[in-house]
Amino acid sequence: MPAPEDPTDNPTKPAAQLLKILGGLDWFPIRKTLARYNGEKFSGDIRAGINVALLAFPQGMAYALIAGLPIQYGIYGSAIATLIGCLFAKSHFITLGPTNATSVLLALTFGGLALTDEEKLVYLPTLVAMVGIVLVIGALLRVASLIQFISRTVVTGYITAAAAYIIGNQIRTALGFSFGPDQKPKSFIDVVHYTAINLPNTHMPTLALSAIAFVLVFLLRRYFRALSNVAITLVVMSLVALGFKQGGLELVYLEGIDASQWPVSFPSFNYDIVVGMFSAALTIALLAVLEGTSIGKSLAAKAGSRVDTSQEMFSMGMSNIGCSIFSGMPASGSLTRSVLNIESGARTPLGAWYSGAIVAVGAFLLGQYIGYIPRAALAVVVVFIGISLINLDHIKMVMKSRKEDAIVFLVTVIIGLVIKLDLAIYLGSAVSIGLFLRQVARPEFSEYAFSDSGELKELRDEGRPMPEISIVHVEGDIFFGAAELFRDQMRRISEDPNLKIIILKTRNARNLDASAMMALHELITVMNEAGRYLVVCEATQEIARLLRNSGVIDLLEERNLIMDDVENPTLSAAMALKRAQEQLGEWAKDAKVSVYVGEKEFTV
C-alpha cells in the first residue's frame, strides 16, 4: 500500500503553500512514522513505552501534589500529553508530560490568585489551554530560536529557586500538618514563615513514617539507581502504613481515583480570567520551550541527529490543548522520561504514545489502590525530586566563571524566592541581556604600525614611526549600543595635533548597523573639516555594502576604501598606508612600504 501523499512534497499545491506560510510545520507527521513502521521499531518503542510508563505514573502523582491538585490530574496529564503530543512530533527525543518547573509555576499562579481548591479545578482548563495556544502561535511564528537569548545562568537560577520552593512546600505534608485557611503562601519566604509557625502541630506518627520513607529513598537512589525508585518507595511505604494502622496510628492517605469518571472539561475564556492568568500562561509556555528544546537538542546531539524545535513546540502546544480538555496539567519536556525513553530503545514518537496508553490503562486498573498510599510518603519523594534539581556543579561554575554570571544567578534566585518565580525568569533574563550588551558595547581600539620586518605590530609606549599617520585596529561589535563609544574614541585619537590621517582596520569589526554608519559619518565630517582624512582598510564585503548603501562612501570616497585580502592579511593595511602617504604630499610619495609573507617581500 503506498504511503499517504504529503502535501508539502508538491510546492505548487495550495495546501503546501499554506503550510509554508504557517511556519513550515508538518500538521500531522505521525502518518509518515506509520508509513515507515516495522517490527524492529515496534520492539524498541514498546519496550521504551513500558519503562517510561512505570516512571510516569508515580511521577504524575508527585507533580500533581507539587501543583496542589488532586493526583489524578498528574496521571491524566501524563497520559494525555504523550497520546496527543506524539501525533504532531517528528522526533522521539522529547517525551512530554507534567514536570517539576511547570508544576511549581502552576502552584504559584493559583497561590497568587488566592483560589480555593474548587476554583483551581474550574480555572485549570483555561490556563492549560492558554499555554497550548501560546505554544502553537509561537511555533507558527518560529520563535523557538529566540530562546537562545535566555542564558543558562538564568535557567540555573530559576531551577534552584524552584527546587527550594518544592522542598519547602512539602515539609508540612511530611510533618503531618496543614496551613491555616488564612495562610496562603505566595513565595518561598511565606512558605518558610508559615511552616515555622505551625511546627508545634507536627504529627509524630506522620513524622516517623516520613523518616522511614526518607531513609528508603536515600538508599534506593544511592545503591539501586536503575530501579523505579518512586514506584518502589510508594509500594513499600503503603505496606508500612498498613502496619501503622494496625498499631492504631492514624495517617492521611491519598484519595483513590475512579478513571471511569475521567472528566472532559472545556476551557472558559472569560475576559477577566484570561487577563489575570495570561502572564502565568506565557511564563509556563516559555519554560516548556526552554525545557523541551534543551532536552531534545542534547539527546539528539548524542545520537548524531537534529530536532526541529518549531515542530516540537507545536507538538507541546497541541498536547497542552488536549490536556486542557481531558483534565490534565500543563505539559513540557521531561528530562527523566526523555532520557529513559531513549535509553530503553525508543525509535519513533510512538514509543511515547505507548507509554501514555499504558498510563491510561493503569489509571483504570490501579486507580483504586492509590488510596493506600500515605500522603507523607509521596511528599518525601517530592522532596528528593526537589533536591535532585539543585545542581551544585552548575551553581559553582556560574558563581566562579564571571562576575556578571554570578550577579544574574543571584538576582534570579533572590527574586524567585522572595517575590515570584515567573517574575524571576523575566527579570533574570533582562539583567543577563543588559550585562551582555554592556560588555559587547565596548569595542577594543589598538594602534598599530609596520615593523622593520614588514609585520603589523601593536604600539605600546613607543611613538609612531610616522607621526602624521595612525593605524587603528577595531575589534568587536559596533552596533547601536557601541556606536557612540566608537565615535568618541575615534575623535579623541584624531585630536592629536600632529595627526593627519587615520587608517581604520575593520576586519574584526562586527555587526555594524545604521547607528554605526551615522557615527562614522559624523566622524568623517569632523575630520574633514579639521583637514584630516580617514582611510578604511581590511573591509569585508558586508562593511563595504553598508558604506555604499548608507551613502557614507560619498563622504569617505571610494579610493579610501580598501578591501580585505584573505590570502595576504597585511596587504590591505600596507596599501592603505601607501594611500595615506600619497595624501600627505609629495615628500611621502616615494616612501617604501614592504610587507613580508613567509620569505617573500611585497613592495607597495
Side-chain angles (χ1 to χ4, degrees), residues 81-255:
T82 50
L83 287 172
I84 294 180
C86 76
L87 302 178
F88 304 94
K90 288 183 179 179
S91 165
H92 62 289
F93 294 107
I94 303 175
T95 302
L96 301 177
T99 65
N100 290 300
T102 55
S103 300
V104 172
L105 272 180
L106 193 58
L108 289 173
T109 299
F110 289 148
L113 295 173
L115 302 178
T116 64
D117 290 342
E118 292 76 16
E119 289 173 333
K120 290 178 185 178
L121 302 185
V122 172
Y123 293 136
L124 179 64
T126 301
L127 177 59
V128 180
M130 289 168 62
V131 172
I133 292 170
V134 169
L135 287 168
V136 169
I137 293 174
L140 295 175
L141 299 178
R142 305 193 74 84
V143 300
S145 59
L146 298 179
I147 300 302
Q148 63 182 311
F149 294 105
I150 299 179
S151 75
R152 290 288 297 275
T153 301
V154 174
V155 176
T156 301
Y158 173 83
I159 290 176
T160 302
Y165 182 88
I166 289 171
I167 296 168
N169 209 36
Q170 298 305 316
I171 297 298
R172 65 181 184 272
T173 304
L175 297 181
F177 61 78
S178 301
F179 293 161
D182 59 337
Q183 296 174 335
K184 296 182 179 180
K186 296 181 180 180
S187 68
F188 174 76
I189 298 300
D190 289 342
V191 170
V192 173
H193 175 65
Y194 295 143
T195 300
I197 291 175
N198 287 279
L199 278 178
N201 300 325
T202 298
H203 186 245
M204 290 306 166
T206 301
L207 175 60
L209 184 131
S210 296
I212 296 171
F214 188 93
V215 173
L216 177 61
V217 177
F218 177 80
L219 294 176
L220 287 172
R221 292 173 67 89
R222 185 175 181 87
Y223 299 108
F224 304 97
R225 297 183 67 87
L227 300 178
S228 180
N229 298 336
V230 176
I232 292 173
T233 298
L234 297 182
V235 171
V236 171
M237 295 315 299
S238 297
L239 298 176
V240 172
L242 286 177
F244 275 47
K245 189 173 184 179
Q246 290 180 354
L249 301 177
E250 293 297 326
L251 298 170
V252 177
Y253 294 87
L254 299 173
E255 294 183 4

Side-chain angles (χ1 to χ4, degrees), residues 151-441:
S151 75
R152 290 288 297 275
T153 301
V154 174
V155 176
T156 301
Y158 173 83
I159 290 176
T160 302
Y165 182 88
I166 289 171
I167 296 168
N169 209 36
Q170 298 305 316
I171 297 298
R172 65 181 184 272
T173 304
L175 297 181
F177 61 78
S178 301
F179 293 161
D182 59 337
Q183 296 174 335
K184 296 182 179 180
K186 296 181 180 180
S187 68
F188 174 76
I189 298 300
D190 289 342
V191 170
V192 173
H193 175 65
Y194 295 143
T195 300
I197 291 175
N198 287 279
L199 278 178
N201 300 325
T202 298
H203 186 245
M204 290 306 166
T206 301
L207 175 60
L209 184 131
S210 296
I212 296 171
F214 188 93
V215 173
L216 177 61
V217 177
F218 177 80
L219 294 176
L220 287 172
R221 292 173 67 89
R222 185 175 181 87
Y223 299 108
F224 304 97
R225 297 183 67 87
L227 300 178
S228 180
N229 298 336
V230 176
I232 292 173
T233 298
L234 297 182
V235 171
V236 171
M237 295 315 299
S238 297
L239 298 176
V240 172
L242 286 177
F244 275 47
K245 189 173 184 179
Q246 290 180 354
L249 301 177
E250 293 297 326
L251 298 170
V252 177
Y253 294 87
L254 299 173
E255 294 183 4
I257 65 173
D258 182 4
S260 64
Q261 303 296 320
W262 195 325
V264 174
S265 54
F266 292 95
S268 173
F269 288 100
N270 178 279
Y271 177 79
D272 293 332
I273 297 175
V274 170
V275 171
M277 296 193 299
F278 179 75
S279 175
L282 188 62
T283 305
I284 294 173
L286 173 63
L287 194 61
V289 177
L290 276 172
E291 283 188 307
T293 56
S294 60
I295 291 167
K297 287 180 179 179
S298 176
L299 294 177
K302 291 181 181 179
S305 184
R306 298 179 65 184
V307 169
D308 183 341
T309 53
S310 293
Q311 185 70 42
E312 300 311 312
M313 188 175 179
F314 179 67
S315 170
M316 283 184 221
M318 297 302 292
S319 71
N320 276 281
I321 292 174
C323 285
S324 72
I325 298 173
F326 295 100
S327 303
M329 294 171 56
S332 176
S334 168
L335 176 60
T336 52
R337 276 169 275 169
S338 297
V339 171
L340 180 60
N341 188 51
I342 297 301
E343 291 181 348
S344 299
R347 301 289 299 279
T348 74
L350 284 173
W353 192 92
Y354 296 142
S355 72
I358 294 170
V359 169
V361 171
F364 283 92
L365 299 180
L366 304 175
Q368 59 181 322
Y369 299 106
I370 293 174
Y372 293 97
I373 300 174
R375 287 183 65 90
L378 186 57
V380 171
V381 169
V382 172
V383 167
F384 271 90
I385 291 174
I387 293 173
S388 68
L389 290 175
I390 302 176
N391 193 318
L392 296 178
D393 290 334
H394 284 182
I395 294 174
K396 182 179 179 181
M397 281 188 283
V398 164
M399 295 300 294
K400 292 190 174 183
S401 294
R402 295 186 313 149
K403 177 181 65 177
E404 290 82 2
D405 287 310
I407 292 173
V408 170
F409 174 78
L410 292 174
V411 167
T412 306
V413 170
I414 291 172
I415 292 174
L417 295 179
V418 177
I419 307 178
K420 290 178 66 178
L421 265 178
D422 55 347
L423 184 62
I425 201 167
Y426 290 127
L427 290 184
S429 298
V431 172
S432 175
I433 294 172
L435 291 175
F436 170 75
L437 292 177
R438 178 174 174 268
Q439 180 183 2
V440 300

